[in-house]
Amino acid sequence: MTDSDLSPAPVTPREPDTQTLGESAADLGFPDGFLWGAATAAYQVEGAVAEDGRGPSIWDTFSHTPGKVLGGDTGDVAVEHYHRYRSDVALMAELGLTAYRFSVAWPRVQPDGRGAINQAGLDFYRRLVDELLEHNIEPWLTLYHWDLPQPLEDAGGWPVRDTAERFAEYAAVVHDALGDRVKAWTTLNEPWCSAFLGYASGDHAPGRRDAASAVRAAHHLLLGHGLATQAMRAAGRDTQIGITLNLYAISAASDDPADVDAARRIDGIQNRLFLDAVLRGRYPADVLADFSTVTDLDHIRDGDLAIIGTPLDMLGINYYTRHVVAGPADPPSTAPAPWPGSEWVRFVSSGRPVTAMGWEIDSDGLLEVLRRVYAEYPTIPLYITENGAAFDDEVTSEGTVEDQDRIAYLDAHLTACHQAITSGVPLKGYFAWSLLDNFEWAWGYSKRFGLVYVDYLTQRRIPKASARWYAGVIARNGLVTSSED
Ligand code: IFM
């Protein structure tokens, strides 16, 4: 392994981006052309898991394994987006969305994860994309949002190198089919989750608990990203290619050296591992040193980092919360955790209010993340590809959902986006997570993130107060700070 540069990369000071903030009815106007979207992911919304030739994914297997998902919930039906996509797109148009971020289910396109293409699966996405374009909604396509074809997991999954090659093959297939009409392409969504929740803590599919496998999975996901980027670029089309990372603001609980080191570890594995790899073509030396306590690094071959660092057109950032961390408990924790070396770390509360996920609400953290990425990494257009909150929504006797807590969350985070743009960060768009209430992975249907409420018995959609509020933001291209909003 010779690719990782052990010295810290220099930070290049630069002039602020020159986006001009628009004139609008808003107090905090966003730049003209700012993209206003909402996001979903295939397994969370589509349902129809056995239709039109779709094969099983690791999430089908995992959710059907007793004890893995709260309440035994599965994505078998989800919110029937596969069948209801037309009315869902009409709903998007009513809200005024200018972009829709969705993912393609790999096992719909290649049920075996390799070789033969299932045309019926591809056709669904072509119909969805055409419907979006007819409504002037820009399709934002993510190739991998966690639903690995089960046959590839049976062959070793992301810890084996071949999966990266298979991903690039699949990416080229989808890009060939849809690259004429989809301009914005994301390779992976949140590879941290795929690697460390999937293979270290076992909270996500495929549910393995082996830190060494997780470290290997992280590298092969990134390699798959790089190979897929190169394969799509080779087609010579005018598509924009990026990746979506889940980034966190990280604070040490105090300046005690053990707390500071805990913050270094978590920042390393959550943020720098992925940012450095894709934007600098290197791994942070301290993270590799942490990893070498759980596995050798023989799986990282010469040349891999150059592939992983293939230049991108944009970076997607998913932001939800800040982690406040302290040094180890006494005695150190031995519970399964997604962070190799987690025995050195404790997550502590800072006392901020939390969402229904128990995640602390910290919009300053979003500003911090945006400014940090802009300051420390090569200039690249940034998009918030997910941001939002689960709350315990209820339908009133009038049939409405008055989710003022979600409005406050979105308002605060969009204010942070506006501040970032004002200080020169090249932020070009924002996607709320999520368009619809949906299958929240190991939490099943118990957590509602949608702008639109879904009655899971009838599949009726009820736009929440936050949806109406967001529609107003889009119409004004900005936020109003007066109490009338
Ligand atoms: O629902 C998920 C999504 O699939 C990935 N990002 C975080 C969301 C909320 O947990």
Side-chain angles (χ1 to χ4, degrees):
M1 215 296 290
T2 56
D3 281 308
S4 77
D5 182 340
L6 303 190
S7 59
V11 173
T12 319
R14 63 177 77 101
E15 293 299 314
D17 191 60
T18 51
Q19 288 192 101
T20 46
L21 297 172
E23 292 292 318
S24 75
D27 300 321
L28 302 181
F30 279 67
D32 290 342
F34 190 81
L35 216 58
W36 294 105
T40 65
Y43 190 71
Q44 294 182 272
V45 297
E46 284 179 1
V49 291
E51 291 183 42
D52 298 333
R54 178 187 181 277
S57 80
I58 55 175
W59 268 98
D60 295 284
T61 308
F62 188 76
S63 66
H64 280 270
T65 306
K68 297 298 187 193
V69 175
L70 193 68
D73 291 346
T74 73
D76 288 3
V77 176
V79 295
E80 291 185 352
H81 187 59
Y82 189 78
H83 293 298
R84 294 171 182 266
Y85 72 92
R86 279 202 178 85
S87 49
D88 287 340
V89 172
L91 197 49
M92 295 175 213
E94 274 171 40
L95 297 180
L97 299 189
T98 56
Y100 174 53
R101 175 175 179 254
F102 63 96
S103 76
V104 171
W106 187 348
R108 278 198 199 284
V109 175
Q110 281 182 309
D112 294 329
R114 67 179 78 231
I117 296 161
N118 176 38
Q119 191 58 45
L122 265 180
D123 286 347
F124 165 68
Y125 297 105
R126 186 174 288 125
R127 290 196 298 275
L128 171 62
V129 165
D130 287 347
E131 193 71 17
L132 290 165
L133 292 173
E134 269 172 38
H135 287 80
N136 292 318
I137 299 171
E138 196 179 323
W140 271 57
L141 186 156
T142 298
L143 285 159
Y144 187 73
H145 198 126
W146 308 353
D147 38 6
L148 185 71
Q150 183 63 41
L152 290 186
E153 174 60 20
D154 297 341
W158 285 110
V160 306
R161 192 176 178 92
D162 183 60
T163 305
E165 309 270 357
R166 301 286 63 77
F167 178 65
E169 177 187 272
Y170 152 72
V173 165
V174 182
H175 190 258
D176 274 357
L178 300 177
D180 58 340
R181 53 197 86 189
V182 176
K183 296 301 157 203
W185 291 75
T186 299
T187 54
L188 306 176
N189 177 73
E190 302 183 354
W192 179 87
C193 296
S194 302
F196 296 104
L197 296 177
Y199 292 92
S201 72
D203 292 326
H204 279 189
R208 288 204 238 163
R209 287 187 177 167
D210 175 39
S213 296
V215 167
R216 287 167 180 260
H219 179 68
H220 295 136
L221 280 151
L222 287 166
L223 182 63
H225 152 78
L227 290 169
T229 302
Q230 293 188 346
M232 290 190 282
R233 287 243 201 279
R237 285 187 144 146
D238 60 340
T239 48
Q240 303 280 299
I241 301 173
I243 187 172
T244 278
L245 303 177
N246 50 321
L247 302 180
Y248 295 81
I250 312 278
S251 309
S254 79
D255 52 13
D256 183 298
D259 295 354
V260 172
D261 191 59
R264 175 199 63 75
R265 279 178 185 273
I266 298 304
D267 182 45
I269 192 171
Q270 291 277 180
N271 297 329
R272 289 182 289 116
L273 174 68
F274 296 95
L275 285 167
D276 283 10
V278 300
L279 298 179
R280 292 180 178 161
R282 69 185 80 175
Y283 283 137
D286 63 311
V287 179
L288 290 185
D290 292 344
F291 284 170
S292 64
T293 64
V294 297
T295 180
D296 62 48
L297 300 172
D298 292 356
H299 59 284
I300 305 174
R301 296 193 191 157
D302 286 356
D304 284 359
L305 269 297
I307 295 168
I308 293 169
T310 301
L312 296 175
D313 302 303
M314 64 212 182
L315 176 71
I317 296 175
N318 292 356
Y319 175 83
Y320 288 93
T321 192
R322 175 189 300 276
H323 290 317
V324 183
V325 289
D330 186 17
S333 168
T334 52
W339 298 273
S342 60
E343 64 276 19
W344 298 103
V345 175
R346 248 176 327 137
F347 289 80
V348 297
S349 162
S350 69
R352 293 181 177 89
V354 295
T355 68
M357 298 297 283
W359 298 344
E360 294 195 357
I361 301 171
D362 187 349
S363 55
D364 290 344
L366 174 55
L367 181 57
E368 198 173 300
V369 165
L370 285 168
R371 285 187 173 155
R372 185 233 186 132
V373 171
Y374 176 56
E376 294 183 18
Y377 293 90
T379 305
I380 183 168
L382 304 178
Y383 291 85
I384 299 298
T385 39
E386 286 181 27
N387 174 240
F391 289 108
D392 295 325
D393 301 318
E394 280 174 17
V395 182
T396 65
S397 51
E398 284 78 43
T400 62
V401 179
E402 300 302 325
D403 56 337
Q404 297 304 321
D405 34 17
R406 184 171 291 101
I407 292 175
Y409 181 101
L410 296 173
D411 192 24
H413 287 77
L414 281 169
T415 302
C417 290
H418 187 271
Q419 282 176 278
I421 293 168
T422 307
S423 61
V425 174
L427 180 66
K428 309 290 182 188
Y430 175 94
F431 292 80
W433 182 269
S434 175
L435 175 71
L436 300 161
D437 289 339
N438 60 49
F439 177 80
E440 177 53 26
W441 308 112
W443 294 96
Y445 296 98
S446 68
K447 306 291 180 193
R448 293 180 177 273
F449 275 90
L451 296 170
V452 176
Y453 184 93
V454 179
D455 177 335
Y456 295 122
L457 293 178
T458 62
Q459 295 292 348
R460 184 167 164 231
R461 273 73 164 141
I462 305 173
K464 302 177 191 176
S466 58
R468 297 193 297 273
W469 176 87
Y470 192 46
V473 171
I474 297 170
R476 281 189 299 272
N477 197 35
L479 302 167
V480 289
T481 52
S482 61
S483 53
E484 289 154 30
D485 191 32

